[in-house]
Amino acid sequence: MNDRTGRTIDRRLLLAGVAGVGVVTLAPSAAFAAEERARGSKPGGREKVLPAQTSWDPVPAMTGMRQVQIPDVRLAVWDTGIGGRGPGRGQTVVLMHPHTGNGGSWGYQQAAFAAAGYRVISYSRRGYHGSEAGPAERPGTMVGDLTALMDALGVGRFHLVGLAAGAFAAFDAGLSVPDRLLSCTVGATLGGIQEPSWNEVTTAILPEGWFGLPETFRELGPSYRAARPQAMTTWIEHTKLPVTTVQQPPQNTLMWPAIESIRTPTLLLTGDCDLYLPPARLREMAGHVRNAEVAIFSEAGHAPHWESYREFNKTVLSFIGKHRR
């Protein structure tokens, strides 16, 4: 697979994380399972299945774009909290984009979350649209860049919403900076989990030649592709923007025991047509996440924030609303 500069990259490293792996753990630890039973939590999380979306509006334009300097790089940032008063200046929600997107691909979320009273920040990670790649010898980490950006913007605690590759920072942040997180939404992602058994299943369910298939097939559900809404053209335009892929290692070894130790309130979600993370895999993940809430979007693929944005927004806003402090 090539990035959008033509440089060859290993997408499987991007999916599985770039640090080493350790001992296989197939089931939740006995202590974790006992604690969840004591809480009365359902194994695999409290699951909700949301209805399919069958019509789509044009993608709203995003506002508040600027460049922000953090150590080694300038990042493209979209921030509703710049200047003035009114919607979009309350508690902060940080949106972290998929590999096929960038900080400017949250048009369906920015205004909706701001209208609910949140300051909404999204940004392009290193090498993505509008952001510098930085020095190759100092790639940094996703969590390091996230916290450096929040420091630069004067943000203390925040709600983190990550999708696909953008959610590789989620569990890592829960381990590295739990005091900064009010809640964490982990969507349509392999999560950077380094368990060998987890990554063996990823290899098994993705056929040979997978990364040579069109991104529309790999990422979008068949119902959305069949409907061919105008917004699909906008999604494709985002995928064609140049990218220089920067492999950023996690700050922690993301094995199940470590993930089980995270205490940040967590919402796990996926589309029921997601070819990377079908519902069965999401439930396996949920079995290792403390008191997780689980949402499955009917007929959506790997981009539920785009394909099912109405139920996505409603679900995420309801969840983070329970954890405002």
Side-chain angles (χ1 to χ4, degrees), residues 79-95:
D79 182 1
T80 65
I82 300 173
R85 297 194 173 197
R89 290 184 55 77
Q91 210 165 66
T92 299
V93 177
V94 181
L95 307 173

Side-chain angles (χ1 to χ4, degrees), residues 44-125:
R46 293 166 286 172
E47 183 175 308
K48 190 188 310 182
V49 178
L50 289 312
Q53 185 166 320
T54 57
S55 65
W56 297 267
D57 300 309
V59 185
M62 292 185 62
T63 60
M65 192 272 190
R66 59 173 164 152
Q67 296 283 322
V68 177
Q69 181 73 50
I70 64 169
D72 284 335
V73 290
R74 287 175 67 82
L75 300 178
V77 178
W78 288 256
D79 182 1
T80 65
I82 300 173
R85 297 194 173 197
R89 290 184 55 77
Q91 210 165 66
T92 299
V93 177
V94 181
L95 307 173
M96 297 192 68
H97 65 83
H99 175 65
T100 48
N102 56 76
S105 58
W106 295 96
Y108 284 127
Q109 283 71 48
Q110 189 193 56
F113 283 45
Y118 295 97
R119 177 181 180 182
V120 185
I121 298 172
S122 61
Y123 66 99
S124 294
R125 300 194 305 279

Side-chain angles (χ1 to χ4, degrees), residues 8 10 28 59 83 89 138 167 174 192 210-211 240 242 277 288 320-321:
T8 300
D10 186 344
V59 185
R89 290 184 55 77
R138 293 194 303 276
W210 172 255
F211 295 111
K240 294 185 181 303
L277 192 77
H288 297 277
I320 64 178

